[in-house]
Amino acid sequence: MAASTGERETVCVTGGSGYIGSWLVRLLLHRGYTVNATVKDLNDEKETKHLEALEGAESRLRLFQIDLLDYDSIVAAVTGASGVFHLASPCIVDRVLDPEKELLAPALKGTNNVLTAAKTLGIKRVVVTSSVSAIIPSRNWPADVPKSEDCWTDEEYCKQKELWYPLSKTLAEKAAWDFAKEKGLDVVVVNPGTVMGPILPPTINASMQMILRLIQGCTDIYEDFYMGSVHVKDVALAHILVYENTSATGRHLCVESICHYGDLAAKVAELYPEYNIPRLAKDTQPGLMRSKTAAKKLMELGLQFIPMDQIVRDSVESLKAKGFLS
């Protein structure tokens, strides 16, 4: 499936203007692909300008405006592509006023619309971006076993605790697998942890808000859905690896390591002692077993994860460069 010299395959990236999407578009262009990237509003420079500035964009990037609930708009973006990377999904971790409208419907119906378009148009393979939020919280998982791709988020627990984002990612991923099985579509999934690192868009995303809040002294404990961090470049590369390697199947946990939120806080405090980082308990998430090899499926495909020190440094320096942090 890899693009080769003289034969530049076209792929579609939904959510192309987002944090992960922008990096994926960047790496795909670098590898020689032609990219149909989707945005919410073609007239919003915050969505388009940074993409149009990417190397190779002038000749091999096409932007499409879509609404996940508008099937015809998705068909237009997917037409002519050999593969699809489905990243577009609302990411609201807190302050959800209408869960069904803001998160659940766009995630679930949007996924079904994208997969339907892909099947109808004869797409080879669809890479769906899920999350570790479709793996945790999972309160019934054995405490002495590291979380893995076999673990699924407890939907009832999410409803009880009003954890709408993990619920949306879980329902959307399950819908993708159901669709793949029923319709015979080749689907593969990437489950990133808390994605951090250099920001390409002009806006800040939810995962980078997490480290910004930590630096600003907030003591939020993300015990329900923090499972470890991963560099945004590695997440983008993981998508390409599972697309290009036909041997890649199923879910792919994408984290530098499984760790606790307290581990992240301690690392930021170590590297940036000038900030007043809250001191958190060592084990902020009882029942979450640490692991350095949780993402072994991606490691076997050749992904060498950027270490936590560099993830934190790249994140903080990018927050400074973008003006979010002084």
Side-chain angles (χ1 to χ4, degrees), residues 80-150:
S82 299
V84 172
F85 297 87
H86 178 43
L87 284 74
S89 188
C91 182
I92 308 169
V93 176
D94 49 18
R95 296 187 300 278
V96 179
L97 301 177
D98 187 338
E100 181 65 30
K101 182 179 180 180
E102 294 177 53
L103 282 170
L104 302 180
L108 191 56
K109 294 177 183 177
T111 295
N112 274 316
N113 280 342
V114 170
L115 296 182
T116 299
K119 177 64 179 176
T120 301
L121 294 169
I123 295 299
K124 293 180 188 176
R125 168 166 282 201
V126 179
V127 180
V128 173
T129 310
S130 186
S131 170
V132 296
S133 291
I135 293 175
I136 61 170
S138 42
R139 298 306 167 108
N140 295 322
W141 186 261
D144 59 345
V145 179
K147 309 278 185 181
S148 71
E149 288 91 352
D150 295 326

Side-chain angles (χ1 to χ4, degrees), residues 24 57 80 90 126 150 153 187 206 234 240 268 272:
L24 178 56
V126 179
D150 295 326
T153 285
V187 170
D234 285 344
I240 296 173
V268 178
Y272 290 92

Side-chain angles (χ1 to χ4, degrees), residues 155-215:
E155 294 175 33
E156 289 307 312
Y157 177 82
C158 288
K159 292 174 185 175
Q160 292 167 13
K161 296 288 187 178
E162 298 186 347
L163 299 171
W164 305 118
Y165 176 69
L167 181 61
S168 74
K169 297 303 290 185
T170 303
L171 293 176
E173 188 187 337
K174 286 185 175 180
W177 288 124
D178 288 343
F179 188 102
K181 183 178 180 180
E182 293 170 12
K183 306 294 185 180
L185 182 65
D186 184 6
V187 170
V188 64
V189 169
V190 178
N191 299 80
T194 299
V195 187
M196 298 161 58
I199 305 168
L200 296 183
T203 54
I204 189 171
N205 63 308
S207 58
M208 286 295 282
Q209 280 278 10
M210 180 182 288
I211 189 170
L212 180 59
R213 286 180 181 180
L214 181 63
I215 291 169

Side-chain angles (χ1 to χ4, degrees), residues 210-257:
M210 180 182 288
I211 189 170
L212 180 59
R213 286 180 181 180
L214 181 63
I215 291 169
Q216 291 171 338
C218 295
T219 55
D220 309 72
I221 302 297
Y222 296 88
E223 60 184 7
D224 287 311
F225 48 86
Y226 183 82
M227 191 171 159
S229 300
V230 60
H231 199 286
V232 63
K233 184 178 180 180
D234 285 344
V235 178
L237 183 55
H239 283 71
I240 296 173
L241 288 174
V242 301
Y243 176 69
E244 293 181 343
N245 287 274
T246 53
S247 61
T249 59
R251 313 172 89 193
H252 294 77
L253 183 55
C254 187
V255 288
E256 181 268 343
S257 65

Side-chain angles (χ1 to χ4, degrees), residues 6-62:
E7 183 185 354
R8 292 176 173 174
E9 182 178 340
T10 297
V11 292
C12 174
V13 177
T14 72
S17 62
Y19 182 44
I20 301 172
S22 298
W23 267 94
L24 178 56
V25 171
R26 180 181 185 177
L27 295 191
L28 286 167
L29 289 173
H30 180 71
R31 282 168 108 88
Y33 286 93
T34 294
V35 182
N36 292 353
T38 78
V39 301
K40 290 181 180 179
D41 185 356
L42 283 172
N43 295 315
D44 186 351
E45 285 195 347
K46 291 181 179 178
E47 289 199 73
T48 62
K49 195 172 182 179
H50 67 282
L51 293 177
E52 292 168 343
L54 295 174
E55 185 177 349
E58 186 175 351
S59 57
R60 288 182 285 109
L61 176 65
R62 294 189 290 256

